[in-house]
Amino acid sequence: MIEQEGKDNNPHKTKYTDANNKYLGDDDKGYGKEWNEKYQLDLIGREYCRDRSIACNKDEYMFLISWKNEKSKFVMAHHKWIKSVLDQMKEIKVGLKGYKYLDEAIELCTELGMPITDAEIIRTNSTGLTIYNPKNLADRIKGMKNKKVKTKAEKIAERLLYEQQQSVN
C-alpha cells in the first residue's frame, strides 16, 4: 500500500489487515473455506506439488505472460496515481495551515478549478482560515497532477518532429 510506504507496523495498516483476515478467514473457516470449496481444482501429479502442471499451448502461455505484464503496469500506474494524490494533499495541508483569511482559501479553490463560496466553508467549519499565497500554492499543486512518463515511441516521434522542423528552418 502506497500509504504505508517507508513505514513498518502502522496501526492503520494493522486495522485493515485484521479486518481482512477476520472477513476472509483461512482455509478452514470463513470466506477462505468457501472459496476453496467453490473453486478448488484437483491436479494429478507424480510427486507432490512440484510435479503438478497444467498443459497449455504457446498462445495460451503467451497470453498469460502478457496478462502478467499488463497487471504489473496497472499496479505501477495505480501506485504513481495514489502517490501523486497524496503529494498534492500534503501541499494543500501545508498551504492551508499558513492561510490567514477566508478569501485566500476561496481564491486557492478557484485557482485549482474547484470554486466554492464562503457560505459553504462557514457552514461546515465556521472558522476563518490562514492562507499564504494561494495562486502560488495552486500552481504548485497543478504542476504535480498526473505527470505522464513518455514512452520510447513518443520520445522518438518528438525527436523526429524536432529534426524535421530543424531541417525546414
Side-chain angles (χ1 to χ4, degrees), residues 1 3 32 77 93 106 112 119 125 136-137 152 155 167:
M1 294 190 325
E3 292 89 351
K93 287 177 186 178
I106 293 171
L112 289 172
N125 192 356
N136 183 32
L137 177 59
K152 184 177 179 180
K155 291 176 184 177
S167 66

Side-chain angles (χ1 to χ4, degrees), residues 60-143:
E60 291 168 335
Y61 179 75
M62 294 311 293
F63 177 81
L64 289 174
I65 295 296
S66 68
W67 177 81
K68 187 175 180 181
N69 289 338
E70 293 303 316
K71 177 183 168 191
S72 175
K73 288 178 190 176
F74 176 78
V75 168
M76 289 304 300
H78 183 265
H79 183 273
K80 288 178 183 178
W81 173 62
I82 294 297
K83 184 161 177 41
S84 169
V85 169
L86 292 174
D87 289 345
Q88 292 173 49
M89 287 305 302
K90 183 178 175 184
E91 287 292 324
I92 289 172
K93 287 177 186 178
V94 168
L96 288 175
K97 286 180 181 178
Y99 284 11
K100 187 174 181 183
Y101 301 107
L102 183 60
D103 290 345
E104 293 169 320
I106 293 171
E107 182 183 346
L108 171 64
C109 291
T110 303
E111 287 290 329
L112 289 172
M114 303 176 294
I116 60 170
T117 64
D118 54 350
E120 290 174 296
I121 295 174
I122 292 170
R123 183 174 55 240
T124 59
N125 192 356
S126 77
T127 60
L129 297 174
T130 309
I131 299 182
Y132 174 72
N133 199 349
K135 183 162 178 39
N136 183 32
L137 177 59
D139 289 341
R140 287 179 62 189
I141 294 167
K142 286 178 186 176

